[in-house]
Amino acid sequence: MEAAAQEQQNKSRVVKVDSVESWEVFVSQANNQGCPVVVHFTAIWCMPSVAMNPLFEELASAYPDVLFLSVDVDDVKDVASKLEVKAMPTFLLMREGAVVDKLVGANPEEIRKRIDSFVQSICVYVAE
């Protein structure tokens, strides 16, 4: 069972941010490539946040042109406070380093809808 769980982890499209440095590298690379970013601010002790992980994985697989980042607020406090994340889960949608949308709370339908609209707007934006 452990091997299967490890294999699933390896196939994840969600990138775990474990430091301010890695946050800056991922966001900077995404900006340079014109890649939109969706961030899930989570905490291991927050059950609603943990419950959103499978949905976040599913969305990451559905939108391969978007960078999906997961930030544990206890591991990377500076990023969470800089972006004024005060509750978990918080989802940020970013383009060119700027937050374009923010959703607080575990609302799967709304998250799916916002990310879909966000990706559609990017496609239109790129096509112009």
Side-chain angles (χ1 to χ4, degrees):
M1 182 66 183
E2 242 179 73
Q6 186 60 44
E7 190 176 315
Q8 180 61 37
Q9 185 105 24
N10 293 342
K11 288 182 179 170
S12 172
R13 285 214 60 253
V14 175
V15 180
K16 187 169 181 354
V17 173
D18 55 11
S19 67
V20 173
E21 294 75 26
S22 67
W23 165 263
E24 289 171 354
V25 167
F26 291 130
V27 172
S28 171
Q29 284 177 344
N31 292 346
N32 292 341
Q33 296 165 7
C35 177
V37 181
V38 177
V39 191
H40 175 198
F41 284 91
T42 182
I44 213 156
W45 46 263
C46 175
M47 286 306 112
S49 203
V50 171
M52 295 304 294
N53 288 340
L55 172 71
F56 202 61
E57 288 285 349
E58 177 193 322
L59 291 167
S61 295
Y63 299 104
D65 297 333
V66 178
L67 175 61
F68 282 76
L69 300 177
S70 175
V71 178
D72 187 308
V73 295
D74 293 324
D75 294 344
V76 198
K77 288 185 176 84
D78 291 349
V79 171
S81 64
K82 181 178 153 195
L83 292 168
E84 300 180 3
V85 172
K86 296 177 177 29
M88 273 59 67
T90 293
F91 297 87
L92 296 183
L93 284 61
M94 301 174 67
R95 183 166 66 209
E96 295 169 4
V99 175
V100 294
D101 199 1
K102 179 177 187 174
L103 181 64
V104 179
N107 182 338
E109 292 77 26
E110 187 63 23
I111 290 160
R112 192 182 298 273
K113 196 168 82 179
R114 297 259 191 110
I115 291 174
D116 189 55
S117 297
F118 176 57
V119 171
Q120 296 303 321
S121 74
I122 301 284
C123 292
V124 168
Y125 176 73
V126 170
E128 289 175 353

